[in-house]
Amino acid sequence: MTKKKNKSQEIKSDKLVALHHKKSPATEAFRTIRTNLQFMSPDKELKVIMVTGSEAGIGKSTVASNLALTFSMTGQKTLLIDTDMRKPMLHKLFDLPNFQGLSSYLAGDQDEI
């Protein structure tokens, strides 16, 4: 008997392909992007990647999340920060609470994120 997914779980599964569909062509594309980014400057460690775009709903959070997942799956320390103050999305994708975050840290309400 298979467990039925609710709509929220299906959306997360569709967007986080690197986590839920490890052998899919989309996941392989994210691994290729990761590898290309790593080899852009082989003599210097890649420390920061910023994903940005000019419009809402074009997939910035999806791309950033899947890239972060592919980097973390190689054993690299990975920190993914949602800096969208008006419409944060990462907590929804990863099913996490959103009561403290970057704005709390910037306001001095907490010492660490």
Side-chain angles (χ1 to χ4, degrees), residues 5 8 10 15 21 36-37 40 42 46 51 61 65 68 71-72 76-79 81 86-87 96 98 104 112:
K5 291 181 182 179
S8 174
E10 288 175 14
K15 292 187 182 224
H21 308 285
N36 288 339
L37 289 169
M40 280 178 45
L46 181 64
V51 177
S61 296
S65 297
F71 273 100
S72 69
Q76 291 182 294
K77 287 184 180 181
T78 306
L79 175 64
I81 301 173
R86 285 184 266 155
K87 193 175 177 187
L96 297 169
N98 188 28
S104 303
E112 297 178 358

Short mmCIF file of all heavy atoms in Angstrom, two decimals, residues 5 8 10 15 21 36-37 40 42 46 51 61 65 68 71-72 76-79 81 86-87 96 98 104 112:
data_model
loop_
_atom_site.label_atom_id
_atom_site.label_comp_id
_atom_site.label_asym_id
_atom_site.label_seq_id
_atom_site.Cartn_x
_atom_site.Cartn_y
_atom_site.Cartn_z
N LYS A 5 0.30 11.31 -0.96
CA LYS A 5 0.91 12.61 -0.67
C LYS A 5 -0.14 13.70 -0.74
O LYS A 5 -1.00 13.67 -1.62
CB LYS A 5 2.00 12.94 -1.69
CG LYS A 5 3.22 12.09 -1.61
CD LYS A 5 4.19 12.57 -2.66
CE LYS A 5 5.45 11.75 -2.69
NZ LYS A 5 6.36 12.20 -3.72
N SER A 8 0.86 19.82 -0.70
CA SER A 8 2.06 20.50 -0.20
C SER A 8 3.30 19.61 -0.36
O SER A 8 4.36 20.07 -0.78
CB SER A 8 1.87 20.89 1.26
OG SER A 8 3.05 21.42 1.79
N GLU A 10 3.69 17.19 -2.53
CA GLU A 10 3.97 17.04 -3.96
C GLU A 10 4.73 18.24 -4.50
O GLU A 10 5.66 18.10 -5.28
CB GLU A 10 2.67 16.85 -4.74
CG GLU A 10 2.03 15.52 -4.54
CD GLU A 10 0.69 15.38 -5.23
OE1 GLU A 10 0.36 16.23 -6.08
OE2 GLU A 10 -0.04 14.43 -4.90
N LYS A 15 9.82 20.57 -6.45
CA LYS A 15 10.79 21.66 -6.45
C LYS A 15 12.16 21.23 -5.94
O LYS A 15 13.17 21.71 -6.43
CB LYS A 15 10.26 22.82 -5.63
CG LYS A 15 9.08 23.48 -6.30
CD LYS A 15 8.65 24.72 -5.61
CE LYS A 15 7.43 25.27 -6.32
NZ LYS A 15 7.47 26.66 -6.53
N HIS A 21 14.39 13.28 -6.01
CA HIS A 21 14.52 12.54 -7.27
C HIS A 21 16.00 12.55 -7.68
O HIS A 21 16.40 13.20 -8.63
CB HIS A 21 13.67 13.18 -8.37
CG HIS A 21 12.24 13.37 -7.97
ND1 HIS A 21 11.34 12.33 -7.90
CD2 HIS A 21 11.55 14.48 -7.60
CE1 HIS A 21 10.16 12.79 -7.52
NE2 HIS A 21 10.27 14.09 -7.33
N ASN A 36 30.50 22.80 -12.67
CA ASN A 36 30.99 23.93 -13.47
C ASN A 36 31.37 25.11 -12.58
O ASN A 36 32.39 25.77 -12.82
CB ASN A 36 29.95 24.35 -14.50
CG ASN A 36 29.82 23.35 -15.63
OD1 ASN A 36 30.71 22.55 -15.88
ND2 ASN A 36 28.69 23.37 -16.30
N LEU A 37 30.57 25.39 -11.57
CA LEU A 37 30.89 26.48 -10.64
C LEU A 37 32.18 26.19 -9.88
O LEU A 37 33.01 27.07 -9.68
CB LEU A 37 29.75 26.70 -9.65
CG LEU A 37 28.48 27.33 -10.22
CD1 LEU A 37 27.33 27.24 -9.20
CD2 LEU A 37 28.73 28.78 -10.61
N MET A 40 35.24 26.80 -12.13
CA MET A 40 35.45 28.14 -12.70
C MET A 40 36.75 28.75 -12.21
O MET A 40 37.42 29.48 -12.93
CB MET A 40 34.28 29.06 -12.32
CG MET A 40 33.07 28.86 -13.18
SD MET A 40 31.67 29.90 -12.71
CE MET A 40 32.38 31.49 -12.45
N PRO A 42 39.64 26.92 -10.15
CA PRO A 42 40.13 25.76 -9.40
C PRO A 42 41.17 26.09 -8.32
O PRO A 42 41.34 25.34 -7.39
CB PRO A 42 40.73 24.86 -10.48
CG PRO A 42 40.95 25.73 -11.65
CD PRO A 42 39.98 26.87 -11.55
N LEU A 46 35.41 28.25 -3.79
CA LEU A 46 34.16 28.96 -3.97
C LEU A 46 33.51 29.15 -2.60
O LEU A 46 33.28 28.18 -1.88
CB LEU A 46 33.24 28.16 -4.89
CG LEU A 46 31.89 28.73 -5.22
CD1 LEU A 46 32.04 30.03 -6.01
CD2 LEU A 46 31.09 27.74 -6.03
N VAL A 51 21.95 33.76 -5.95
CA VAL A 51 20.96 33.52 -7.00
C VAL A 51 19.96 34.66 -6.94
O VAL A 51 19.38 34.92 -5.89
CB VAL A 51 20.24 32.16 -6.80
CG1 VAL A 51 19.18 31.96 -7.87
CG2 VAL A 51 21.25 31.02 -6.82
N SER A 61 14.33 30.56 -5.66
CA SER A 61 14.41 29.71 -4.46
C SER A 61 14.61 28.25 -4.83
O SER A 61 15.36 27.53 -4.17
CB SER A 61 13.14 29.85 -3.62
OG SER A 61 13.02 31.16 -3.13
N SER A 65 17.96 26.34 -3.75
CA SER A 65 17.78 25.17 -2.88
C SER A 65 18.43 23.93 -3.48
O SER A 65 19.14 23.19 -2.79
CB SER A 65 16.30 24.89 -2.66
OG SER A 65 15.70 25.95 -1.99
N ALA A 68 22.21 24.24 -3.40
CA ALA A 68 22.67 24.02 -2.03
C ALA A 68 22.65 22.54 -1.69
O ALA A 68 23.59 22.01 -1.07
CB ALA A 68 21.83 24.82 -1.05
N PHE A 71 25.57 20.77 -3.44
CA PHE A 71 26.84 21.06 -2.77
C PHE A 71 26.94 20.30 -1.45
O PHE A 71 27.99 19.73 -1.13
CB PHE A 71 27.01 22.57 -2.51
CG PHE A 71 27.60 23.32 -3.66
CD1 PHE A 71 26.79 24.03 -4.53
CD2 PHE A 71 28.97 23.33 -3.88
CE1 PHE A 71 27.34 24.73 -5.60
CE2 PHE A 71 29.53 24.02 -4.94
CZ PHE A 71 28.71 24.73 -5.81
N SER A 72 25.86 20.27 -0.68
CA SER A 72 25.90 19.59 0.62
C SER A 72 26.05 18.08 0.46
O SER A 72 26.64 17.43 1.32
CB SER A 72 24.65 19.92 1.43
OG SER A 72 23.51 19.32 0.87
N GLN A 76 30.32 19.15 1.50
CA GLN A 76 30.73 20.53 1.74
C GLN A 76 29.77 21.21 2.71
O GLN A 76 28.56 20.98 2.66
CB GLN A 76 30.77 21.32 0.44
CG GLN A 76 31.86 20.89 -0.50
CD GLN A 76 31.86 21.75 -1.74
OE1 GLN A 76 30.92 21.70 -2.51
NE2 GLN A 76 32.92 22.50 -1.93
N LYS A 77 30.32 22.03 3.59
CA LYS A 77 29.47 22.83 4.46
C LYS A 77 28.71 23.81 3.58
O LYS A 77 29.29 24.49 2.74
CB LYS A 77 30.30 23.59 5.48
CG LYS A 77 30.87 22.72 6.56
CD LYS A 77 31.59 23.56 7.59
CE LYS A 77 32.16 22.68 8.66
NZ LYS A 77 32.84 23.49 9.69
N THR A 78 27.41 23.86 3.79
CA THR A 78 26.55 24.67 2.95
C THR A 78 25.56 25.45 3.81
O THR A 78 24.90 24.88 4.66
CB THR A 78 25.76 23.78 1.96
OG1 THR A 78 26.69 22.96 1.24
CG2 THR A 78 24.96 24.60 0.99
N LEU A 79 25.49 26.73 3.59
CA LEU A 79 24.55 27.59 4.29
C LEU A 79 23.67 28.26 3.24
O LEU A 79 24.16 28.95 2.36
CB LEU A 79 25.28 28.65 5.11
CG LEU A 79 24.44 29.70 5.82
CD1 LEU A 79 23.55 29.05 6.88
CD2 LEU A 79 25.33 30.75 6.45
N ILE A 81 20.68 30.91 2.72
CA ILE A 81 20.01 32.02 3.40
C ILE A 81 18.95 32.61 2.49
O ILE A 81 19.23 32.99 1.36
CB ILE A 81 21.01 33.12 3.80
CG1 ILE A 81 22.09 32.55 4.72
CG2 ILE A 81 20.29 34.27 4.49
CD1 ILE A 81 23.20 33.53 5.03
N ARG A 86 10.12 40.15 1.93
CA ARG A 86 8.68 40.31 1.72
C ARG A 86 7.95 38.99 1.54
O ARG A 86 6.84 38.81 2.01
CB ARG A 86 8.42 41.21 0.51
CG ARG A 86 8.69 42.67 0.83
CD ARG A 86 8.35 43.55 -0.33
NE ARG A 86 9.58 43.74 -1.10
CZ ARG A 86 9.63 44.02 -2.38
NH1 ARG A 86 8.54 44.17 -3.06
NH2 ARG A 86 10.77 44.17 -2.98
N LYS A 87 8.56 38.07 0.83
CA LYS A 87 7.90 36.80 0.56
C LYS A 87 8.90 35.65 0.65
O LYS A 87 9.27 35.05 -0.36
CB LYS A 87 7.24 36.84 -0.82
CG LYS A 87 6.28 35.72 -1.06
CD LYS A 87 5.59 35.88 -2.40
CE LYS A 87 4.69 34.68 -2.64
NZ LYS A 87 4.13 34.69 -3.97
N LEU A 96 10.12 24.16 7.43
CA LEU A 96 10.72 24.68 8.66
C LEU A 96 9.90 25.84 9.20
O LEU A 96 9.22 26.53 8.44
CB LEU A 96 12.15 25.16 8.39
CG LEU A 96 13.14 24.11 7.93
CD1 LEU A 96 14.42 24.76 7.44
CD2 LEU A 96 13.42 23.13 9.05
N ASN A 98 9.14 29.63 10.60
CA ASN A 98 9.65 30.92 10.14
C ASN A 98 9.42 32.00 11.19
O ASN A 98 8.94 33.08 10.89
CB ASN A 98 8.98 31.30 8.82
CG ASN A 98 9.60 32.52 8.18
OD1 ASN A 98 10.78 32.80 8.37
ND2 ASN A 98 8.82 33.27 7.43
N SER A 104 15.56 38.93 12.13
CA SER A 104 15.81 38.87 13.58
C SER A 104 17.29 39.08 13.86
O SER A 104 17.67 39.81 14.78
CB SER A 104 15.37 37.53 14.15
OG SER A 104 14.03 37.28 13.88
N GLU A 112 22.94 34.24 16.70
CA GLU A 112 23.29 33.34 15.60
C GLU A 112 22.06 33.03 14.78
O GLU A 112 20.94 33.10 15.27
CB GLU A 112 23.83 32.01 16.14
CG GLU A 112 25.10 32.16 16.92
CD GLU A 112 25.57 30.82 17.49
OE1 GLU A 112 24.87 29.81 17.29
OE2 GLU A 112 26.62 30.78 18.10
#
